[in-house]
Amino acid sequence: MVTKAVTGQLTVFECIFSIGATRNKTQVSKETGKVPAESFIDASEKIKVYGSVALKEKTMRAVRDLPLTGIEPKDRLLIQNLLDQNSKMAGILYDGNIVYPYEKLKKELIRMKKTDSIRKMSKLMYEFLSLHFDIAHYNREGFIDYYDGEYSSLYNETLSYARKRIPARFSDINKIAEEM
């Protein structure tokens, strides 16, 4: 079988950069084994919002109300929950990476598995799968055609092993991948 996934190209670099970016020069406490809370940079500095002006303003107000910690896996799940609770939100990036809604993609994955078809895949699902689990395709139609429109083909050739290689810091993506 030919390996097609391109997951984790910069995973090690991104992890090192992410850790370095979230802490100042304060080191882990020898007594507690933890980084003091004041050593974390304000998590809101890592969040970018994209979309229409009205949606961006609404989304930023909602994000400001979240109890963000500066710890990426925890923050990504908080943001994911926010996206699930609000249908009309702008896109949210955490440290330069998209945070995906869970419920919407979960429902679509269940439907694709049940029907064994990816032919009605949404733009969001295509973006999610192609960016995190598969090689680049020219477009959504090329992606669907490559797998003969079958979820089982996509799963067997790519998802079955690629979903196990998602870095832990992408907690939102891992949560969705559990549904595959």
Side-chain angles (χ1 to χ4, degrees):
M1 175 168 47
V2 177
T3 303
K4 297 186 305 188
V6 186
T7 57
Q9 283 183 337
L10 298 175
T11 304
V12 174
F13 173 78
E14 288 177 12
C15 288
I16 292 169
F17 180 77
S18 175
I19 291 167
T22 58
R23 298 182 184 155
N24 64 21
K25 295 182 182 183
T26 306
Q27 297 297 317
V28 174
S29 166
K30 291 181 182 176
E31 296 87 36
T32 64
K34 297 180 180 178
V35 176
E38 67 274 4
S39 69
F40 285 99
I41 295 173
D42 181 14
S44 64
E45 293 177 10
K46 295 179 172 194
I47 296 173
K48 303 287 184 229
V49 175
Y50 61 95
S52 70
V53 174
L55 284 180
K56 285 175 19 178
E57 289 174 4
K58 174 187 173 189
T59 303
M60 282 310 295
R61 281 193 304 273
V63 168
R64 281 189 207 106
D65 292 339
L66 291 175
L68 298 174
T69 64
I71 301 168
E72 186 170 3
K74 290 181 181 182
D75 290 348
R76 291 181 75 86
L77 291 176
L78 288 170
I79 294 167
Q80 185 179 57
N81 190 42
L82 174 72
L83 291 170
D84 286 340
Q85 292 174 358
N86 298 280
S87 61
K88 295 286 185 186
M89 297 290 276
I92 302 174
L93 301 173
Y94 189 98
D95 204 16
N97 297 291
I98 300 169
V99 179
Y100 293 93
Y102 172 71
E103 291 297 330
K104 184 184 253 184
L105 292 177
K106 173 187 165 186
K107 287 177 186 174
E108 190 166 350
L109 279 167
I110 290 169
R111 181 187 49 77
M112 289 189 322
K113 284 194 302 189
K114 187 176 183 178
T115 62
D116 192 30
S117 176
I118 60 173
R119 295 200 183 278
K120 294 182 181 178
M121 174 189 323
S122 69
K123 181 180 173 186
L124 179 64
M125 180 61 76
Y126 168 68
E127 176 185 280
F128 176 73
L129 293 174
S130 65
L131 287 176
H132 299 288
F133 301 100
D134 201 358
I135 61 172
H137 293 270
Y138 183 71
N139 58 21
R140 181 181 158 276
E141 290 72 26
F143 182 90
I144 292 169
D145 186 54
Y146 183 84
Y147 294 108
D148 297 323
E150 298 173 350
Y151 178 82
S152 57
S153 179
L154 169 65
Y155 183 85
N156 292 333
E157 290 187 41
T158 305
L159 300 180
S160 62
Y161 60 88
R163 68 190 182 110
K164 298 172 186 170
R165 296 187 180 129
I166 305 166
R169 71 187 186 107
F170 295 126
S171 53
D172 59 315
I173 297 170
N174 277 306
K175 185 176 176 183
I176 297 164
E178 289 174 8
E179 300 299 329
M180 294 177 181

